[in-house]
Amino acid sequence: MKSLRFKLPYLSLALLLAQTGCQRKAADQVKPVLSSTATKASSDGLTDTAINAAVTKALEHDPGVDASKLHVKTTDGIVELTGIAPHLLTKQRAARVAEAVRGVRAVSDRTSLDVEKRPDASIADDLKNALLTNAAADSYEISEKVSAGKVTLTGSVQSFQERDIAGRLAEGIRGVREVDNQIKVKTGVARSDSEVRADVVSRLRWDTLVNDGRIDVAVHSGRVTLQGTVASASEKRRASVDAWVLGAADVSDSGLKVDASGAQQDTLKHQLFATAPADIERAIRAAIAYDPRVSRADLQVKVTDGRARLEGSVASVAAKLAAEDLARHTVGVTAVDNALEVKPVKARTDAQIEQAVKSALLWDPYTNTQAIQVSVVAGKVSLSGKAHSHFERAQATDLAAAIEGVKDVDNVIVVDHPEVAYVFDPYLSPYGPFWVSWYAVPILPASPDAQIASAIHDELVWDPFVDANHVQVDVKRGRATLRGRVASQRARTAATEEAYEGGAVAVDNRLTLSSGG
C-alpha cells in the first residue's frame, strides 16, 4: 500500500519496542452516549466526570469496538458499561479499553448482546473446524456443545493457557452469545507451594508490562493470591494472567488495588537490577514454556547487549510472532531479531490451507463482512482486497497466521481509511493478537501541527504510566519530538505509542529515565 508505511519484522525490516496505547477509529464514527456521572474524585484524585469523558473517547476511537450503542457511567472510579454490542469480541474489548484508561479502578460490563442469529449446528461446525485447523489447538481433547448460541466446552488440557486459547476460539465464532468453559486442566505434575510461588514471582519480575515491586505473592494449596497496588485495571489483568503458572490451581487478584497516583513517578523494581544476558535468555525461555503456541518449539535464544536473537523452528506463523512478542516483553530486551523458521507439524496442501483461511475469515465477526481474497502458493498465504480499517486488516493476518500449515502471510489488503493510525495494545489482548506490525501510520499528517500536539498531550494525560507534566511535545510537519523525563522504560515506550495515537506520522523520542531507571 503506497499511502502507508508498515514495519514488518518477518520481512527483516526495522523493529520497534512493544506496546501500550489505544487505537483510533475513523472520524465519522458515531460517538457513544455519555451518561450522567458524579463529580466525586477517584482514589488517584481524578473526578468521575473526567474519567467518564476519557473512557468515552477511548471507546469512540478504538477500531475494535462498536461504540455507537454503548453507555458509560463512572462512580468512584468504577466504570459501568451498558447498551448493546453486536458480538462477544467487541463486548469484551470494550471492557478492556475502559480498563486501560487512567483512573479506572474496575469495569462492570452490563452490555447486552445483539448477535447475528445462526443455527447451532453451523456454529458447532465452525468451532470444530477452528479447533482442528488452529496450529496450537488441533491436538486438544475437547468437546463442544451449542444450544441457543451458548457454547459449552468440556474435556481436558495440560495448562490454563491451552484452556484459554480454546475459549477464545469459541468466543471468536459468529453467532456465539456465551461461552461456558468447563475444560479441566490436568498437568500431571505435582508442585509445592514454594515452587509455584517462585514461578509466579519470576514471571512478574520479568514482565515489562507489570510493576512487580508493588505486588506481593502468596500460595496456599496451589491457590495463588496477589496483593498490592497496580497502576491500572489493565495491569491487574496482566498480573493475573502471569500468575497462572504450572501447578497453580486458582488465581485471586482481588487484593490488587488500582491506584495510578504514584505509578507515573514509580521506578519499576526490575529497573534497579542489572540483567545479565544469561538471565534474560532463561527468562525468555521460561515465558515461552508457558505459551502453548511455542512451548514445544525447537528454538534457541541468544542475547547480546540487550538484543535477543531467536533461531530454530516453530510450527506456525502465529508461533513465530508469539515468540517474538514474549521476548520483546522480557526485562532487559531492547530489540528482537526473529530468525525463526516456520515448519508446520502437519503437511497440508495449498488448497486445504486456502479453504481453512477462507473459513476462518468467514466465521470471525470482525472479518466476515470484509471483501478479502485468499490465495496460497507453497504454504504462503496472500491476502488482498479491502477492509474497513487497519484493525480488520490486522485481524485477517492473525487468523491466517494461526492456521496449521501456513508458512508465511503476505497481507496487501487496502483499507478504506488509510489516514487513521493503528497501534496495537498488548494490555487489550493478553494472549494476542500478535500482528506482524506494531503500528501503521499515514505518511502525511491528517491535522495541523498544533492540533496534533494537543491531541498527543491529551493521550499522555490519560495514560496510566506517563506523567504528562514532565513531557514536552513539539510537532513539525506531523513529526513529533518528545522531551523530558519519565520514570520507566515502560512509560517511555507508552509515550511513543500515545504520540502515534495522537496523529503523529513519526516520533523522535528523546525522553530520559529518572534517577534509578
Side-chain angles (χ1 to χ4, degrees), residues 107-334:
V107 176
S108 173
D109 183 7
R110 298 178 57 196
T111 55
S112 301
L113 284 170
D114 184 19
V115 302
E116 175 185 353
K117 291 181 173 59
R118 300 183 66 204
D120 289 339
S122 297
I123 295 175
D125 287 343
D126 284 348
L127 178 53
K128 188 182 296 291
N129 287 331
L131 291 168
L132 288 174
T133 58
N134 185 280
D138 66 331
S139 62
Y140 294 176
E141 298 178 357
I142 296 173
S143 298
E144 63 285 328
K145 180 181 178 181
V146 184
S147 177
K150 178 181 178 179
V151 174
T152 301
L153 298 175
T154 56
S156 63
V157 292
Q158 295 180 333
S159 69
F160 165 81
Q161 289 78 9
E162 291 178 336
R163 180 181 185 271
D164 186 73
I165 283 179
R168 288 189 299 114
L169 284 173
E171 292 165 356
I173 303 297
R174 286 189 299 119
V176 172
R177 300 184 56 84
E178 181 183 350
V179 176
D180 181 12
N181 195 337
Q182 298 181 12
I183 298 173
K184 298 185 182 302
V185 177
K186 296 182 179 180
T187 63
V189 178
R191 306 191 73 204
S192 67
D193 287 347
S194 60
E195 289 175 316
V196 173
R197 183 183 183 279
D199 267 11
V200 175
V201 170
S202 178
R203 295 199 71 192
L204 295 173
R205 155 76 172 83
W206 287 99
D207 189 345
T208 60
L209 300 177
V210 176
N211 184 2
D212 65 311
R214 302 203 291 177
I215 300 176
D216 295 320
V217 181
V219 182
H220 181 68
S221 298
R223 297 174 62 87
V224 180
T225 301
L226 303 178
Q227 292 184 315
T229 307
V230 289
S232 70
S234 292
E235 185 180 4
K236 178 177 179 178
R237 182 187 294 273
R238 178 83 181 195
S240 181
V241 169
D242 281 344
W244 280 101
V245 302
L246 183 65
D250 188 28
V251 174
S252 173
D253 61 5
S254 59
L256 287 178
K257 307 303 179 185
V258 178
D259 182 5
S261 58
Q264 297 153 326
Q265 291 80 36
D266 242 358
T267 296
L268 304 188
K269 181 181 177 182
H270 56 62
Q271 291 185 186
L272 301 178
F273 301 92
T275 49
D279 293 334
I280 300 173
E281 290 167 6
R282 280 192 291 270
I284 294 173
R285 286 193 291 268
I288 287 173
Y290 278 105
D291 193 306
R293 293 163 298 183
V294 287
S295 59
R296 299 176 181 85
D298 176 24
L299 58 84
Q300 297 80 47
V301 181
K302 180 65 176 178
V303 176
T304 305
D305 295 329
R307 195 176 193 93
R309 181 173 177 81
L310 306 178
E311 296 180 339
S313 61
V314 290
S316 67
V317 177
K320 179 176 180 175
L321 302 177
E324 179 175 322
D325 186 85
L326 291 167
R328 193 183 301 281
H329 285 110
T330 299
V331 171
V333 174
T334 57

Side-chain angles (χ1 to χ4, degrees), residues 440-460:
V441 296
I443 292 177
L444 298 177
S447 305
D449 288 345
Q451 187 173 334
I452 294 175
S454 178
I456 293 173
H457 176 75
D458 289 343
E459 297 290 344
L460 294 172

Side-chain angles (χ1 to χ4, degrees), residues 209-512:
L209 300 177
V210 176
N211 184 2
D212 65 311
R214 302 203 291 177
I215 300 176
D216 295 320
V217 181
V219 182
H220 181 68
S221 298
R223 297 174 62 87
V224 180
T225 301
L226 303 178
Q227 292 184 315
T229 307
V230 289
S232 70
S234 292
E235 185 180 4
K236 178 177 179 178
R237 182 187 294 273
R238 178 83 181 195
S240 181
V241 169
D242 281 344
W244 280 101
V245 302
L246 183 65
D250 188 28
V251 174
S252 173
D253 61 5
S254 59
L256 287 178
K257 307 303 179 185
V258 178
D259 182 5
S261 58
Q264 297 153 326
Q265 291 80 36
D266 242 358
T267 296
L268 304 188
K269 181 181 177 182
H270 56 62
Q271 291 185 186
L272 301 178
F273 301 92
T275 49
D279 293 334
I280 300 173
E281 290 167 6
R282 280 192 291 270
I284 294 173
R285 286 193 291 268
I288 287 173
Y290 278 105
D291 193 306
R293 293 163 298 183
V294 287
S295 59
R296 299 176 181 85
D298 176 24
L299 58 84
Q300 297 80 47
V301 181
K302 180 65 176 178
V303 176
T304 305
D305 295 329
R307 195 176 193 93
R309 181 173 177 81
L310 306 178
E311 296 180 339
S313 61
V314 290
S316 67
V317 177
K320 179 176 180 175
L321 302 177
E324 179 175 322
D325 186 85
L326 291 167
R328 193 183 301 281
H329 285 110
T330 299
V331 171
V333 174
T334 57
V336 179
D337 294 328
N338 194 341
L340 292 171
E341 183 180 359
V342 178
K343 293 183 177 180
V345 176
K346 296 181 180 179
R348 309 188 74 189
T349 66
D350 288 345
Q352 290 174 322
I353 294 173
E354 180 177 331
Q355 183 55 52
V357 174
K358 287 181 177 178
S359 296
L361 293 171
L362 286 175
W363 69 53
D364 185 89
Y366 282 123
T367 59
N368 78 96
T369 60
Q370 316 298 314
I372 300 174
Q373 288 82 50
V374 181
S375 63
V376 183
V377 177
K380 180 178 180 179
V381 175
S382 295
L383 303 174
S384 58
K386 289 189 175 183
H388 297 322
S389 71
H390 289 298
F391 177 85
E392 283 86 0
R393 184 183 188 274
Q395 184 76 357
T397 295
D398 294 324
L399 292 168
I403 298 298
E404 177 75 47
V406 174
K407 297 179 180 179
D408 200 356
V409 180
D410 181 22
N411 190 333
V412 293
I413 295 172
V414 178
V415 298
D416 293 335
H417 297 283
E419 75 283 358
V420 182
Y422 170 80
V423 181
F424 169 65
D425 184 352
Y427 285 105
L428 302 187
S429 305
Y431 292 122
F434 296 104
W435 190 34
V436 294
S437 178
W438 170 28
Y439 66 84
V441 296
I443 292 177
L444 298 177
S447 305
D449 288 345
Q451 187 173 334
I452 294 175
S454 178
I456 293 173
H457 176 75
D458 289 343
E459 297 290 344
L460 294 172
V461 165
W462 288 103
D463 191 291
F465 310 111
V466 181
D467 187 347
N469 294 321
H470 291 85
V471 179
Q472 295 81 51
V473 181
D474 181 48
V475 180
K476 293 182 178 179
R477 295 189 295 277
R479 299 175 176 268
T481 300
L482 307 179
R483 296 182 177 87
R485 301 181 74 84
V486 289
S488 67
Q489 183 61 47
R490 175 174 65 174
R492 188 176 188 276
T493 302
T496 296
E497 294 150 2
E498 299 296 11
Y500 281 117
E501 180 65 24
V505 298
V507 178
D508 180 9
N509 191 330
R510 302 184 185 183
L511 294 171
T512 58

Side-chain angles (χ1 to χ4, degrees), residues 34 37 40-57 72 74 76-79 98 101-105 462:
L34 181 62
T37 60
K40 181 179 178 181
S42 67
S43 60
D44 62 355
L46 299 173
T47 66
D48 288 334
T49 300
I51 295 172
N52 208 87
V55 171
T56 299
K57 180 181 177 182
V72 184
T74 305
D76 194 22
I78 298 176
V79 172
V101 174
R102 178 173 173 244
V104 174
R105 298 193 298 117
W462 288 103

